Amino acid sequence: MSRIALVTGGTRGIGAAISVALKAAGRTVVASYAGNQIAAENFTAVHGIEAMRFDACDFGQCVAAVQSIASRLGPIEILVNNAGITRDGTMSRMTRDMWDAVIDTNLGSCFNLCKATFDGMKAAKFGRVVNIGSINGQAGQYGQVNYAAAKSGIHGFTKALAQEGAKFGITVNAIAPGYVDTDMVRAVPADVLEKIVARIPVGRLGHVEDIARGVVFLTADDADFVTGSTLSINGGQHMY
Ligand SMILES: NC(=O)c1ccc[n+]([C@@H]2O[C@H](COP(=O)([O-])OP(=O)(O)OC[C@H]3O[C@@H](n4cnc5c(N)ncnc54)[C@H](OP(=O)(O)O)[C@@H]3O)[C@@H](O)[C@H]2O)c1
């Protein structure tokens, strides 16, 4: 039977490519989103993948979503924590709200959805969790103390949970993308982006499919010896 996969933020950008690649790999995929209904409806129409609206920052909504998927389709065995936002600013300009929003969305959502699915994976003696971190969680980035802290936290979270999951057939890994051509990166001013691309040894931004390929690898049934790792997919920009 086809394994059930949930991809948070799975209707746009990197998440959409992950959802499509997991479907192509034979998984039954549910893609979550926060509020961009038009993008979600378009995504479902084009790819035939269910889109489900809930706030990944809200623990109660996460639990309800996981229960709804389990009752309709079966228990979630593959979880991709991809939902993320940026609220950039130097320390002088960063507000407490910008800090909270980024920590809650990028890191709190990983806790919420792992908490809601992990016992089910333990009972099934199978699970695949992939958390999407960032090169900026590895190397830091000017004006991103919130985002760098959240993404760096993901890498520690991954290694800790991997130790808990190992004896239950659950792998927990992270991917640290470099700069990928999505709405998030298109929001960066052109002159700044030009300087970023100049520092990428392969000479281009990443494609969303570059990241999706890593998720398919890490969630394969026979990838059971790969756990607690961070896969950097960044065109050689940061060799960690
Ligand atoms: N793009 C890059 O270069 C890059 C580099 C390194 C890491 N990353 C990471 O990769 C992931 C995807 O990035 P992206 O560039 O593809 O982002 P994106 O195009 O901005 O898409 C973000 C997705 O996350 C969803 N989302 C945001 N907040 C949410 C919430 N509270 N609850 C549920 N879903 C939520 C959005 O839903 P709506 O569609 O409803 O808004 C959207 O589907 C993020 O974790 C990001 O930090 C990206």
Short mmCIF file of all heavy atoms in Angstrom, two decimals, residues 41-112:
data_model
loop_
_atom_site.label_atom_id
_atom_site.label_comp_id
_atom_site.label_asym_id
_atom_site.label_seq_id
_atom_site.Cartn_x
_atom_site.Cartn_y
_atom_site.Cartn_z
N GLU A 41 -5.30 25.89 -4.60
CA GLU A 41 -6.29 25.32 -5.53
C GLU A 41 -5.65 25.04 -6.88
O GLU A 41 -5.89 24.00 -7.51
CB GLU A 41 -7.49 26.27 -5.68
CG GLU A 41 -8.42 26.21 -4.47
CD GLU A 41 -9.50 27.28 -4.47
OE1 GLU A 41 -9.59 28.04 -5.47
OE2 GLU A 41 -10.23 27.36 -3.47
N ASN A 42 -4.82 25.94 -7.32
CA ASN A 42 -4.11 25.76 -8.59
C ASN A 42 -3.19 24.53 -8.53
O ASN A 42 -3.14 23.71 -9.45
CB ASN A 42 -3.32 27.03 -8.91
CG ASN A 42 -2.69 26.96 -10.27
OD1 ASN A 42 -3.35 26.60 -11.24
ND2 ASN A 42 -1.41 27.28 -10.35
N PHE A 43 -2.50 24.40 -7.39
CA PHE A 43 -1.59 23.27 -7.20
C PHE A 43 -2.36 21.95 -7.29
O PHE A 43 -1.94 21.01 -7.98
CB PHE A 43 -0.90 23.41 -5.83
CG PHE A 43 -0.12 22.21 -5.41
CD1 PHE A 43 1.17 21.98 -5.88
CD2 PHE A 43 -0.68 21.29 -4.53
CE1 PHE A 43 1.88 20.85 -5.50
CE2 PHE A 43 0.03 20.16 -4.14
CZ PHE A 43 1.31 19.95 -4.63
N THR A 44 -3.50 21.87 -6.60
CA THR A 44 -4.30 20.63 -6.62
C THR A 44 -4.82 20.34 -8.02
O THR A 44 -4.78 19.20 -8.48
CB THR A 44 -5.48 20.74 -5.62
OG1 THR A 44 -4.92 20.86 -4.30
CG2 THR A 44 -6.36 19.51 -5.67
N ALA A 45 -5.26 21.39 -8.71
CA ALA A 45 -5.80 21.19 -10.06
C ALA A 45 -4.72 20.66 -11.01
O ALA A 45 -4.98 19.78 -11.83
CB ALA A 45 -6.36 22.52 -10.59
N VAL A 46 -3.53 21.18 -10.87
CA VAL A 46 -2.45 20.78 -11.80
C VAL A 46 -1.89 19.41 -11.45
O VAL A 46 -1.64 18.59 -12.33
CB VAL A 46 -1.31 21.84 -11.79
CG1 VAL A 46 -0.10 21.36 -12.57
CG2 VAL A 46 -1.81 23.17 -12.35
N HIS A 47 -1.72 19.15 -10.15
CA HIS A 47 -0.97 17.94 -9.75
C HIS A 47 -1.83 16.83 -9.15
O HIS A 47 -1.32 15.73 -8.90
CB HIS A 47 0.13 18.33 -8.75
CG HIS A 47 1.12 19.29 -9.32
ND1 HIS A 47 2.01 18.93 -10.31
CD2 HIS A 47 1.35 20.60 -9.06
CE1 HIS A 47 2.75 19.99 -10.63
NE2 HIS A 47 2.36 21.01 -9.89
N GLY A 48 -3.10 17.11 -8.90
CA GLY A 48 -3.96 16.06 -8.33
C GLY A 48 -3.52 15.65 -6.93
O GLY A 48 -3.66 14.49 -6.55
N ILE A 49 -2.98 16.59 -6.17
CA ILE A 49 -2.54 16.32 -4.80
C ILE A 49 -3.42 17.13 -3.85
O ILE A 49 -3.63 18.34 -4.07
CB ILE A 49 -1.05 16.70 -4.61
CG1 ILE A 49 -0.17 15.78 -5.47
CG2 ILE A 49 -0.64 16.63 -3.13
CD1 ILE A 49 1.32 16.18 -5.50
N GLU A 50 -3.93 16.48 -2.80
CA GLU A 50 -4.80 17.19 -1.85
C GLU A 50 -4.03 18.30 -1.13
O GLU A 50 -2.91 18.10 -0.67
CB GLU A 50 -5.32 16.18 -0.80
CG GLU A 50 -6.17 16.86 0.27
CD GLU A 50 -6.64 15.90 1.37
OE1 GLU A 50 -6.61 14.67 1.16
OE2 GLU A 50 -7.01 16.41 2.45
N ALA A 51 -4.65 19.45 -1.05
CA ALA A 51 -4.09 20.56 -0.27
C ALA A 51 -4.95 20.75 0.97
O ALA A 51 -6.18 20.70 0.89
CB ALA A 51 -4.07 21.84 -1.10
N MET A 52 -4.32 20.96 2.10
CA MET A 52 -5.05 21.07 3.36
C MET A 52 -4.60 22.32 4.10
O MET A 52 -3.40 22.49 4.33
CB MET A 52 -4.73 19.83 4.21
CG MET A 52 -5.59 19.65 5.39
SD MET A 52 -5.11 18.10 6.18
CE MET A 52 -6.56 17.79 7.12
N ARG A 53 -5.55 23.17 4.44
CA ARG A 53 -5.20 24.43 5.10
C ARG A 53 -5.17 24.28 6.61
O ARG A 53 -6.19 23.93 7.22
CB ARG A 53 -6.21 25.51 4.70
CG ARG A 53 -5.91 26.85 5.29
CD ARG A 53 -6.87 27.88 4.76
NE ARG A 53 -6.59 29.19 5.30
CZ ARG A 53 -7.12 30.30 4.83
NH1 ARG A 53 -7.96 30.28 3.82
NH2 ARG A 53 -6.82 31.47 5.37
N PHE A 54 -4.03 24.52 7.21
CA PHE A 54 -3.96 24.65 8.67
C PHE A 54 -2.67 25.37 9.02
O PHE A 54 -1.72 25.38 8.24
CB PHE A 54 -4.08 23.29 9.39
CG PHE A 54 -2.94 22.33 9.17
CD1 PHE A 54 -1.84 22.31 10.01
CD2 PHE A 54 -2.97 21.43 8.12
CE1 PHE A 54 -0.80 21.41 9.82
CE2 PHE A 54 -1.93 20.52 7.91
CZ PHE A 54 -0.84 20.51 8.77
N ASP A 55 -2.69 25.97 10.22
CA ASP A 55 -1.52 26.75 10.65
C ASP A 55 -0.55 25.82 11.38
O ASP A 55 -0.86 25.31 12.46
CB ASP A 55 -2.00 27.88 11.58
CG ASP A 55 -0.86 28.77 12.03
OD1 ASP A 55 0.31 28.50 11.67
OD2 ASP A 55 -1.15 29.75 12.76
N ALA A 56 0.61 25.62 10.78
CA ALA A 56 1.60 24.70 11.36
C ALA A 56 2.17 25.22 12.68
O ALA A 56 2.83 24.48 13.41
CB ALA A 56 2.72 24.44 10.36
N CYS A 57 1.91 26.50 13.00
CA CYS A 57 2.36 27.06 14.29
C CYS A 57 1.40 26.69 15.42
O CYS A 57 1.72 26.88 16.59
CB CYS A 57 2.39 28.59 14.24
SG CYS A 57 3.47 29.24 13.00
N ASP A 58 0.21 26.25 15.07
CA ASP A 58 -0.84 26.01 16.06
C ASP A 58 -0.91 24.52 16.36
O ASP A 58 -1.32 23.71 15.52
CB ASP A 58 -2.18 26.53 15.48
CG ASP A 58 -3.32 26.41 16.47
OD1 ASP A 58 -3.53 25.31 17.02
OD2 ASP A 58 -4.00 27.42 16.70
N PHE A 59 -0.53 24.15 17.59
CA PHE A 59 -0.45 22.73 17.94
C PHE A 59 -1.79 22.02 17.77
O PHE A 59 -1.86 20.92 17.21
CB PHE A 59 0.07 22.57 19.38
CG PHE A 59 0.23 21.14 19.78
CD1 PHE A 59 1.17 20.33 19.16
CD2 PHE A 59 -0.56 20.58 20.78
CE1 PHE A 59 1.32 18.99 19.52
CE2 PHE A 59 -0.42 19.25 21.14
CZ PHE A 59 0.52 18.46 20.51
N GLY A 60 -2.87 22.66 18.22
CA GLY A 60 -4.19 22.03 18.12
C GLY A 60 -4.58 21.77 16.67
O GLY A 60 -5.12 20.70 16.33
N GLN A 61 -4.31 22.73 15.79
CA GLN A 61 -4.65 22.54 14.38
C GLN A 61 -3.80 21.41 13.77
O GLN A 61 -4.28 20.66 12.91
CB GLN A 61 -4.42 23.84 13.59
CG GLN A 61 -5.44 24.93 13.90
CD GLN A 61 -5.30 26.15 13.00
OE1 GLN A 61 -4.93 26.03 11.83
NE2 GLN A 61 -5.59 27.31 13.53
N CYS A 62 -2.56 21.30 14.20
CA CYS A 62 -1.69 20.23 13.68
C CYS A 62 -2.23 18.86 14.09
O CYS A 62 -2.31 17.94 13.26
CB CYS A 62 -0.25 20.40 14.18
SG CYS A 62 0.59 21.81 13.45
N VAL A 63 -2.59 18.74 15.36
CA VAL A 63 -3.13 17.46 15.85
C VAL A 63 -4.40 17.10 15.09
O VAL A 63 -4.58 15.97 14.63
CB VAL A 63 -3.39 17.53 17.38
CG1 VAL A 63 -4.15 16.29 17.85
CG2 VAL A 63 -2.06 17.66 18.13
N ALA A 64 -5.29 18.08 14.92
CA ALA A 64 -6.56 17.82 14.21
C ALA A 64 -6.29 17.42 12.76
O ALA A 64 -6.94 16.50 12.22
CB ALA A 64 -7.44 19.07 14.27
N ALA A 65 -5.33 18.06 12.12
CA ALA A 65 -5.02 17.74 10.71
C ALA A 65 -4.47 16.32 10.60
O ALA A 65 -4.85 15.56 9.70
CB ALA A 65 -4.02 18.75 10.15
N VAL A 66 -3.58 15.98 11.51
CA VAL A 66 -2.97 14.64 11.47
C VAL A 66 -4.05 13.58 11.70
O VAL A 66 -4.09 12.55 11.02
CB VAL A 66 -1.83 14.53 12.52
CG1 VAL A 66 -1.42 13.09 12.76
CG2 VAL A 66 -0.64 15.38 12.07
N GLN A 67 -4.97 13.86 12.62
CA GLN A 67 -6.06 12.90 12.88
C GLN A 67 -6.99 12.78 11.67
O GLN A 67 -7.42 11.68 11.31
CB GLN A 67 -6.87 13.34 14.11
CG GLN A 67 -6.12 13.02 15.41
CD GLN A 67 -6.78 13.63 16.65
OE1 GLN A 67 -7.71 14.43 16.55
NE2 GLN A 67 -6.25 13.27 17.81
N SER A 68 -7.25 13.90 11.02
CA SER A 68 -8.12 13.87 9.84
C SER A 68 -7.48 13.05 8.71
O SER A 68 -8.14 12.22 8.06
CB SER A 68 -8.40 15.30 9.38
OG SER A 68 -8.75 15.33 8.03
N ILE A 69 -6.19 13.24 8.51
CA ILE A 69 -5.50 12.47 7.46
C ILE A 69 -5.51 10.98 7.81
O ILE A 69 -5.80 10.13 6.97
CB ILE A 69 -4.05 13.00 7.28
CG1 ILE A 69 -4.08 14.42 6.70
CG2 ILE A 69 -3.24 12.07 6.37
CD1 ILE A 69 -2.74 15.16 6.78
N ALA A 70 -5.22 10.69 9.08
CA ALA A 70 -5.16 9.28 9.51
C ALA A 70 -6.52 8.60 9.32
O ALA A 70 -6.59 7.46 8.86
CB ALA A 70 -4.72 9.20 10.96
N SER A 71 -7.60 9.30 9.64
CA SER A 71 -8.91 8.65 9.55
C SER A 71 -9.36 8.48 8.11
O SER A 71 -10.07 7.52 7.78
CB SER A 71 -9.95 9.44 10.35
OG SER A 71 -10.11 10.71 9.77
N ARG A 72 -8.95 9.36 7.22
CA ARG A 72 -9.39 9.27 5.82
C ARG A 72 -8.47 8.42 4.95
O ARG A 72 -8.90 7.67 4.09
CB ARG A 72 -9.49 10.66 5.19
CG ARG A 72 -10.62 11.50 5.75
CD ARG A 72 -10.71 12.86 5.11
NE ARG A 72 -9.53 13.67 5.31
CZ ARG A 72 -8.64 13.98 4.39
NH1 ARG A 72 -8.81 13.56 3.15
NH2 ARG A 72 -7.59 14.73 4.67
N LEU A 73 -7.14 8.55 5.20
CA LEU A 73 -6.17 7.93 4.29
C LEU A 73 -5.31 6.86 4.95
O LEU A 73 -4.82 5.94 4.30
CB LEU A 73 -5.24 9.01 3.70
CG LEU A 73 -5.91 10.19 2.99
CD1 LEU A 73 -4.89 11.27 2.66
CD2 LEU A 73 -6.56 9.70 1.70
N GLY A 74 -5.08 7.05 6.26
CA GLY A 74 -4.18 6.15 6.99
C GLY A 74 -3.14 6.98 7.72
O GLY A 74 -3.05 8.20 7.51
N PRO A 75 -2.38 6.33 8.60
CA PRO A 75 -1.41 7.09 9.41
C PRO A 75 -0.27 7.67 8.57
O PRO A 75 0.16 7.07 7.59
CB PRO A 75 -0.88 6.04 10.40
CG PRO A 75 -1.21 4.73 9.80
CD PRO A 75 -2.40 4.90 8.92
N ILE A 76 0.19 8.84 9.01
CA ILE A 76 1.30 9.50 8.30
C ILE A 76 2.60 8.77 8.62
O ILE A 76 2.96 8.61 9.78
CB ILE A 76 1.38 10.98 8.72
CG1 ILE A 76 0.15 11.73 8.22
CG2 ILE A 76 2.67 11.63 8.19
CD1 ILE A 76 -0.04 13.11 8.82
N GLU A 77 3.28 8.33 7.59
CA GLU A 77 4.56 7.62 7.78
C GLU A 77 5.74 8.44 7.27
O GLU A 77 6.89 8.13 7.56
CB GLU A 77 4.52 6.28 7.06
CG GLU A 77 3.51 5.31 7.69
CD GLU A 77 3.40 4.01 6.93
OE1 GLU A 77 3.05 4.06 5.73
OE2 GLU A 77 3.66 2.95 7.52
N ILE A 78 5.43 9.45 6.47
CA ILE A 78 6.48 10.33 5.93
C ILE A 78 6.06 11.77 6.23
O ILE A 78 4.97 12.20 5.84
CB ILE A 78 6.64 10.13 4.41
CG1 ILE A 78 7.06 8.68 4.10
CG2 ILE A 78 7.64 11.13 3.83
CD1 ILE A 78 7.00 8.32 2.63
N LEU A 79 6.91 12.47 6.95
CA LEU A 79 6.61 13.85 7.33
C LEU A 79 7.74 14.75 6.84
O LEU A 79 8.90 14.52 7.17
CB LEU A 79 6.49 13.95 8.86
CG LEU A 79 6.42 15.36 9.44
CD1 LEU A 79 5.14 16.08 9.00
CD2 LEU A 79 6.48 15.30 10.97
N VAL A 80 7.37 15.75 6.05
CA VAL A 80 8.37 16.71 5.60
C VAL A 80 8.00 18.08 6.18
O VAL A 80 6.99 18.68 5.80
CB VAL A 80 8.46 16.78 4.06
CG1 VAL A 80 9.57 17.74 3.63
CG2 VAL A 80 8.68 15.40 3.46
N ASN A 81 8.80 18.52 7.15
CA ASN A 81 8.57 19.83 7.78
C ASN A 81 9.27 20.90 6.96
O ASN A 81 10.46 21.17 7.14
CB ASN A 81 9.12 19.80 9.22
CG ASN A 81 8.25 18.98 10.14
OD1 ASN A 81 7.03 19.18 10.21
ND2 ASN A 81 8.85 18.03 10.83
N ASN A 82 8.50 21.46 6.04
CA ASN A 82 9.07 22.40 5.07
C ASN A 82 8.55 23.83 5.26
O ASN A 82 9.20 24.78 4.81
CB ASN A 82 8.72 21.91 3.65
CG ASN A 82 8.92 22.97 2.59
OD1 ASN A 82 10.05 23.21 2.16
ND2 ASN A 82 7.84 23.64 2.18
N ALA A 83 7.42 24.01 5.95
CA ALA A 83 6.82 25.36 6.06
C ALA A 83 7.83 26.32 6.68
O ALA A 83 8.48 26.00 7.68
CB ALA A 83 5.56 25.31 6.92
N GLY A 84 7.97 27.46 6.08
CA GLY A 84 8.91 28.43 6.62
C GLY A 84 8.62 29.83 6.12
O GLY A 84 7.98 30.02 5.08
N ILE A 85 9.05 30.80 6.92
CA ILE A 85 8.92 32.22 6.53
C ILE A 85 10.21 32.95 6.92
O ILE A 85 11.00 32.45 7.72
CB ILE A 85 7.73 32.92 7.24
CG1 ILE A 85 7.89 32.86 8.77
CG2 ILE A 85 6.41 32.36 6.79
CD1 ILE A 85 6.94 33.80 9.53
N THR A 86 10.39 34.13 6.37
CA THR A 86 11.45 35.03 6.82
C THR A 86 10.80 36.35 7.25
O THR A 86 9.77 36.76 6.70
CB THR A 86 12.47 35.34 5.71
OG1 THR A 86 11.77 35.77 4.54
CG2 THR A 86 13.32 34.13 5.37
N ARG A 87 11.38 36.97 8.25
CA ARG A 87 11.02 38.34 8.67
C ARG A 87 12.35 38.99 9.02
O ARG A 87 12.75 39.03 10.18
CB ARG A 87 10.11 38.33 9.91
CG ARG A 87 8.74 37.70 9.71
CD ARG A 87 7.78 38.60 8.91
NE ARG A 87 6.46 37.98 8.78
CZ ARG A 87 6.09 37.13 7.83
NH1 ARG A 87 6.96 36.77 6.89
NH2 ARG A 87 4.87 36.63 7.79
N ASP A 88 13.05 39.46 7.99
CA ASP A 88 14.43 39.89 8.17
C ASP A 88 14.54 41.29 8.77
O ASP A 88 13.70 42.16 8.53
CB ASP A 88 15.17 39.89 6.82
CG ASP A 88 15.32 38.50 6.23
OD1 ASP A 88 14.98 37.52 6.91
OD2 ASP A 88 15.78 38.40 5.08
N GLY A 89 15.62 41.51 9.49
CA GLY A 89 15.94 42.83 10.02
C GLY A 89 17.17 42.72 10.91
O GLY A 89 17.38 41.67 11.53
N THR A 90 17.94 43.77 10.94
CA THR A 90 19.08 43.76 11.87
C THR A 90 18.55 43.77 13.31
O THR A 90 17.37 44.05 13.54
CB THR A 90 19.95 45.01 11.66
OG1 THR A 90 19.10 46.16 11.84
CG2 THR A 90 20.58 45.03 10.27
N MET A 91 19.41 43.50 14.26
CA MET A 91 18.98 43.46 15.66
C MET A 91 18.31 44.76 16.06
O MET A 91 17.30 44.76 16.78
CB MET A 91 20.19 43.17 16.56
CG MET A 91 19.86 43.02 18.01
SD MET A 91 18.62 41.74 18.31
CE MET A 91 19.66 40.28 18.39
N SER A 92 18.83 45.89 15.55
CA SER A 92 18.22 47.18 15.91
C SER A 92 16.78 47.28 15.45
O SER A 92 15.94 47.91 16.09
CB SER A 92 19.01 48.32 15.27
OG SER A 92 20.34 48.26 15.68
N ARG A 93 16.48 46.66 14.32
CA ARG A 93 15.14 46.79 13.74
C ARG A 93 14.23 45.61 14.06
O ARG A 93 13.01 45.71 13.89
CB ARG A 93 15.24 46.90 12.20
CG ARG A 93 15.86 48.20 11.75
CD ARG A 93 16.10 48.19 10.25
NE ARG A 93 16.81 49.39 9.83
CZ ARG A 93 16.20 50.50 9.44
NH1 ARG A 93 14.90 50.55 9.41
NH2 ARG A 93 16.91 51.56 9.10
N MET A 94 14.80 44.52 14.47
CA MET A 94 13.96 43.33 14.68
C MET A 94 13.09 43.48 15.92
O MET A 94 13.57 43.83 16.99
CB MET A 94 14.82 42.07 14.79
CG MET A 94 13.97 40.81 14.79
SD MET A 94 14.93 39.33 14.57
CE MET A 94 15.53 39.53 12.91
N THR A 95 11.82 43.19 15.75
CA THR A 95 10.90 43.26 16.89
C THR A 95 10.73 41.87 17.47
O THR A 95 11.04 40.85 16.84
CB THR A 95 9.51 43.77 16.43
OG1 THR A 95 8.97 42.80 15.51
CG2 THR A 95 9.60 45.12 15.76
N ARG A 96 10.17 41.84 18.65
CA ARG A 96 9.90 40.56 19.31
C ARG A 96 8.90 39.74 18.46
O ARG A 96 8.99 38.51 18.37
CB ARG A 96 9.34 40.83 20.71
CG ARG A 96 8.97 39.60 21.49
CD ARG A 96 10.20 38.79 21.89
NE ARG A 96 9.83 37.42 22.12
CZ ARG A 96 10.46 36.59 22.96
NH1 ARG A 96 11.51 37.00 23.63
NH2 ARG A 96 10.06 35.37 23.11
N ASP A 97 7.95 40.42 17.81
CA ASP A 97 6.98 39.71 16.96
C ASP A 97 7.66 39.04 15.78
O ASP A 97 7.28 37.93 15.37
CB ASP A 97 5.90 40.68 16.44
CG ASP A 97 4.89 41.03 17.52
OD1 ASP A 97 4.93 40.40 18.60
OD2 ASP A 97 4.08 41.95 17.29
N MET A 98 8.66 39.72 15.18
CA MET A 98 9.39 39.13 14.04
C MET A 98 10.14 37.88 14.50
O MET A 98 10.22 36.87 13.80
CB MET A 98 10.36 40.15 13.44
CG MET A 98 9.67 41.30 12.72
SD MET A 98 10.75 42.75 12.56
CE MET A 98 11.80 42.28 11.20
N TRP A 99 10.73 37.98 15.71
CA TRP A 99 11.44 36.83 16.28
C TRP A 99 10.46 35.66 16.48
O TRP A 99 10.69 34.55 16.01
CB TRP A 99 12.09 37.24 17.61
CG TRP A 99 12.61 36.10 18.41
CD1 TRP A 99 11.95 35.43 19.41
CD2 TRP A 99 13.90 35.45 18.30
NE1 TRP A 99 12.74 34.43 19.91
CE2 TRP A 99 13.94 34.42 19.25
CE3 TRP A 99 15.01 35.67 17.48
CZ2 TRP A 99 15.04 33.59 19.42
CZ3 TRP A 99 16.11 34.84 17.65
CH2 TRP A 99 16.13 33.81 18.60
N ASP A 100 9.33 35.94 17.18
CA ASP A 100 8.39 34.87 17.51
C ASP A 100 7.81 34.21 16.26
O ASP A 100 7.68 32.99 16.20
CB ASP A 100 7.23 35.43 18.36
CG ASP A 100 7.66 35.76 19.79
OD1 ASP A 100 8.71 35.25 20.23
OD2 ASP A 100 6.95 36.53 20.45
N ALA A 101 7.46 35.03 15.27
CA ALA A 101 6.82 34.48 14.07
C ALA A 101 7.76 33.50 13.36
O ALA A 101 7.35 32.42 12.92
CB ALA A 101 6.43 35.62 13.12
N VAL A 102 9.02 33.86 13.28
CA VAL A 102 9.98 33.02 12.55
C VAL A 102 10.32 31.76 13.34
O VAL A 102 10.39 30.66 12.78
CB VAL A 102 11.24 33.84 12.16
CG1 VAL A 102 12.36 32.94 11.69
CG2 VAL A 102 10.85 34.83 11.07
N ILE A 103 10.50 31.91 14.65
CA ILE A 103 10.79 30.72 15.48
C ILE A 103 9.58 29.77 15.46
O ILE A 103 9.73 28.56 15.28
CB ILE A 103 11.14 31.12 16.93
CG1 ILE A 103 12.42 31.98 16.97
CG2 ILE A 103 11.28 29.88 17.81
CD1 ILE A 103 13.71 31.30 16.64
N ASP A 104 8.39 30.32 15.60
CA ASP A 104 7.18 29.48 15.64
C ASP A 104 6.96 28.75 14.32
O ASP A 104 6.60 27.58 14.30
CB ASP A 104 5.94 30.34 15.91
CG ASP A 104 5.75 30.63 17.38
OD1 ASP A 104 6.56 30.13 18.19
OD2 ASP A 104 4.80 31.36 17.71
N THR A 105 7.14 29.47 13.22
CA THR A 105 6.81 28.88 11.91
C THR A 105 7.87 27.87 11.49
O THR A 105 7.55 26.78 11.02
CB THR A 105 6.66 29.98 10.83
OG1 THR A 105 5.73 30.94 11.29
CG2 THR A 105 6.19 29.39 9.52
N ASN A 106 9.12 28.23 11.63
CA ASN A 106 10.19 27.37 11.11
C ASN A 106 10.55 26.23 12.07
O ASN A 106 10.90 25.15 11.61
CB ASN A 106 11.44 28.20 10.81
CG ASN A 106 11.24 29.16 9.65
OD1 ASN A 106 11.38 28.80 8.50
ND2 ASN A 106 10.87 30.40 9.96
N LEU A 107 10.50 26.50 13.37
CA LEU A 107 10.96 25.49 14.34
C LEU A 107 9.79 24.91 15.16
O LEU A 107 9.69 23.69 15.31
CB LEU A 107 12.00 26.12 15.27
CG LEU A 107 12.68 25.21 16.28
CD1 LEU A 107 13.38 24.03 15.59
CD2 LEU A 107 13.71 26.01 17.11
N GLY A 108 8.91 25.78 15.64
CA GLY A 108 7.77 25.30 16.43
C GLY A 108 6.92 24.31 15.64
O GLY A 108 6.42 23.32 16.18
N SER A 109 6.79 24.55 14.35
CA SER A 109 5.98 23.66 13.50
C SER A 109 6.59 22.26 13.45
O SER A 109 5.86 21.26 13.36
CB SER A 109 5.85 24.24 12.09
OG SER A 109 7.13 24.34 11.49
N CYS A 110 7.91 22.16 13.51
CA CYS A 110 8.57 20.84 13.51
C CYS A 110 8.18 20.08 14.76
O CYS A 110 7.86 18.89 14.70
CB CYS A 110 10.09 20.97 13.48
SG CYS A 110 10.73 21.57 11.94
N PHE A 111 8.21 20.78 15.90
CA PHE A 111 7.79 20.12 17.14
C PHE A 111 6.34 19.68 17.02
O PHE A 111 6.00 18.52 17.31
CB PHE A 111 7.95 21.04 18.36
CG PHE A 111 7.37 20.42 19.60
CD1 PHE A 111 8.08 19.49 20.33
CD2 PHE A 111 6.08 20.74 20.01
CE1 PHE A 111 7.52 18.86 21.45
CE2 PHE A 111 5.51 20.13 21.12
CZ PHE A 111 6.24 19.19 21.85
N ASN A 112 5.47 20.60 16.59
CA ASN A 112 4.03 20.30 16.56
C ASN A 112 3.74 19.04 15.74
O ASN A 112 3.01 18.15 16.18
CB ASN A 112 3.26 21.47 15.93
CG ASN A 112 3.26 22.70 16.82
OD1 ASN A 112 3.57 22.62 18.00
ND2 ASN A 112 2.93 23.85 16.24
#
